[in-house]
């Protein structure tokens, strides 16, 4: 006679099981951080990221943290590593496309005043990674220093600009960096002369693994009125040649120094092409703008369409400059 063994519990769906486990890890980390971190560090759960990016699309982060000190940042890294969760740094979100499902893990922003200080001494400006580039440009003008006017036109923070080696008006961020202060993923701080930090067009490879904390920038004495007028030129050029709608700035890297992605996409006749509420800007073709209710999916589909046209019609492989993170909904 045979017997049948019956297990009464419902069989578990592996995806549901993984999601439950993940939610528990997040709850544990949230509790650890509340216990360990000083009160001036902001910790939130399920923080919508759309409002923290200039493109204004994308889902939430499991945890969103604004550490109030170097020690608090180091503690966040250590605690997240212990729980096996990734930590992603968010600047002003001006070069970021977050997918609609958001980010599993921890998002850290250096928006606390501790990381946003700007101090001038002689020809040098020491600024934290959270400082806005615009604020640095204005502080330089106030102090009678020139050379940083191009920061006026970049809507980001110093941390993001260092990581991206952001540029405008023919100048790059690292043209002006004398020293870089950064933290590795174990919390150790390094203060490096710029000569020891390799950089490329739109990249500082060291900052793929390290977190920029700030930098010493080199400027030169200049008449504040001359600096003001150069800043106005940068700002004017930007308003004249770039769209006002929400965007993540230039979407693609220029494929060649002699072939700007904007001109290529324009020549492909794609200005005004629309998927949902995402559109190739009629003002500058390398900007994909959000007309109001775009989803990350709309923008990604449009990116795919532009890349496909460039590939089939011009045999050019466009690479995104915008960083794409998170998971689909
Ligand atoms: N152009 C067109 N059609 C367009 C857009 C541009 O024909 O729709 C032509 C322009 O007329 C110009 C050339 O393409 O002859 C280059 O355009 P632009 O001067 O705007 O410079 P860009 O190479 O498109 C770069 C940076 C921008 C930065 C500007 C201004 C890259 C990918 N982009 O743009 O950076 O603001 O120079 O200095 O390197 C960003 O990184 O997010 C960004 C916007």
């Amino acid at each position: 006679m045979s017997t049948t063994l019956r297990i009464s519990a419902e069989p578990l769906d592996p995806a549901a099981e993984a999601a439950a486990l993940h939610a528990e890890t997040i709850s544990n980390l949230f509790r650890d951080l509340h216990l360990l971190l000083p009160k001036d560090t902001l910790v939130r759960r399920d923080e919508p990221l759309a409002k923290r990016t200039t493109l204004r699309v994308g889902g939430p982060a499991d945890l969103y943290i604004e550490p109030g000190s170097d020690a608090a940042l180091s503690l966040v890294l250590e605690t997240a590593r212990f729980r096996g969760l990734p930590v992603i740094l968010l600047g002003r979100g001006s070069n970021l496309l977050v997918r609609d499902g958001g980010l599993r893990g921890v998002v850290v922003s250096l928006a606390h005043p501790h990381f946003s200080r700007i101090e001038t001494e002689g020809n040098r400006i020491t600024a934290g990674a959270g400082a806005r580039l615009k604020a640095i440009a204005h502080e330089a003008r106030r102090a009678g220093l020139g050379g940083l006017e191009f920061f006026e036109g970049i809507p980001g923070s110093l941390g993001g600009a260092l990581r991206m080696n952001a540029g405008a008006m023919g100048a790059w961020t690292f043209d002006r960096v004398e020293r870089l202060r950064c933290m590795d993923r174990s919390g150790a701080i390094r203060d490096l002369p710029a000569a020891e930090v390799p950089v490329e067009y739109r990249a500082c490879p060291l900052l793929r693994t390290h977190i920029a904390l700030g930098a010493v920038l080199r400027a030169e004495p200049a008449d504040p009125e001359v600096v003001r007028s150069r800043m106005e030129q940068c700002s004017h050029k930007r308003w004249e040649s770039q769209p006002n709608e929400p965007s993540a700035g230039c979407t693609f890297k220029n494929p060649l120094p002699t072939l700007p992605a904007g001109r290529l996409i324009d020549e492909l006749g794609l200005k005004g092409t629309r998927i949902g509420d995402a559109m190739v800007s009629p003002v500058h073709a390398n900007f994909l703008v959000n007309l109001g209710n775009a989803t990350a999916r709309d923008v990604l589909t449009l990116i795919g369409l532009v890349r496909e046209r460039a590939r089939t019609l011009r045999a050019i492989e466009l690479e995104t400059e915008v960083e794409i993170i998170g998971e689909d909904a």
Side-chain angles (χ1 to χ4, degrees):
M1 211 169 85
S2 70
T3 52
T4 313
L5 183 66
R6 281 193 179 277
I7 298 170
S8 57
E10 289 288 316
L12 269 180
D13 165 8
E17 199 175 351
L21 203 64
H22 179 74
E24 193 185 326
T25 308
I26 295 295
S27 294
N28 288 337
L29 179 58
F30 188 61
R31 192 202 51 220
D32 295 350
L33 292 172
H34 259 291
L35 287 172
L36 294 169
L37 288 169
K39 294 286 159 275
D40 66 348
T41 289
L42 176 85
V43 184
R44 288 203 188 134
R45 278 190 80 154
D46 297 321
E47 175 74 353
L49 292 176
K51 64 172 185 187
R52 297 192 178 274
T53 69
T54 55
L55 184 57
R56 306 212 161 264
V57 302
D62 287 332
L63 284 182
Y64 171 82
I65 304 176
E66 290 180 9
S69 63
D70 294 358
L73 172 60
S74 164
L75 200 64
V76 170
L77 296 176
E78 189 188 330
T79 320
R81 196 175 56 235
F82 176 72
R83 295 280 178 197
L85 289 168
V87 175
I88 289 152
L89 263 286
L90 178 71
R92 291 192 73 79
S94 58
N95 193 51
L96 209 57
L97 168 44
V98 181
R99 291 194 183 88
D100 295 315
L103 273 161
R104 300 298 70 81
V106 180
V107 168
V108 167
S109 163
L110 303 183
H112 188 279
H114 169 75
F115 291 103
S116 314
R117 288 193 284 242
I118 305 174
E119 282 152 19
T120 309
E121 206 186 314
N123 293 352
R124 291 182 175 77
I125 294 184
T126 303
R132 296 183 64 181
L133 297 172
K134 211 182 201 6
I136 297 174
H138 282 267
E139 170 57 23
R141 176 181 54 74
R142 202 199 50 74
L145 293 173
L148 296 169
E149 295 87 348
F150 70 103
F151 277 177
E152 158 71 28
I154 308 178
S157 61
L158 180 60
L162 290 165
R163 158 116 199 233
M164 284 297 301
N165 191 16
M169 313 299 152
W172 285 359
T173 301
F174 269 88
D175 293 343
R176 289 290 163 186
V177 175
E178 195 166 275
R179 300 193 73 83
L180 171 70
R181 219 172 145 257
C182 57
M183 187 183 277
D184 70 16
R185 294 283 166 161
S186 71
I189 294 177
R190 296 170 75 186
D191 186 339
L192 300 166
E196 287 178 22
V197 183
V199 293
E200 300 160 7
Y201 165 66
R202 290 297 193 260
C204 170
L206 176 75
L207 296 177
R208 288 188 191 130
T209 51
H210 289 55
I211 297 166
L213 300 177
V216 178
L217 305 167
R218 201 184 37 251
E220 56 264 333
D223 176 348
E225 277 315 306
V226 174
V227 177
R228 182 196 303 279
S229 118
R230 281 195 222 134
M231 275 166 66
E232 272 166 13
Q233 275 169 35
C234 290
S235 164
H236 181 73
K237 174 158 187 227
R238 186 173 134 74
W239 290 122
E240 196 185 56
S241 62
Q242 300 182 0
N244 292 326
E245 296 94 342
S247 77
C250 283
T251 311
F252 301 99
K253 292 181 183 171
N254 290 335
L256 294 168
T258 49
L259 180 59
R263 187 189 306 150
L264 168 69
I265 302 164
D266 193 350
E267 284 170 5
L268 291 169
L270 292 173
K271 275 184 169 173
T273 305
R274 206 172 146 172
I275 306 265
D277 254 0
M279 181 173 77
V280 177
S281 167
V283 179
H284 191 302
N286 200 11
F287 282 64
L288 303 188
V289 294
N290 179 354
L291 296 175
N293 294 306
T295 60
R297 172 66 23 223
D298 293 338
V299 182
L300 287 164
T301 309
L302 194 52
I303 287 177
L305 185 150
V306 172
R307 295 190 72 209
E308 194 266 329
R309 292 289 167 86
R311 190 181 303 127
T312 48
L313 297 174
R314 298 280 293 270
I316 292 170
E317 227 14 87
L318 280 176
E319 237 187 278
T320 47
E321 187 211 285
V322 164
E323 203 171 329
I324 303 167
I325 57 172
E327 50 190 50
D328 290 323

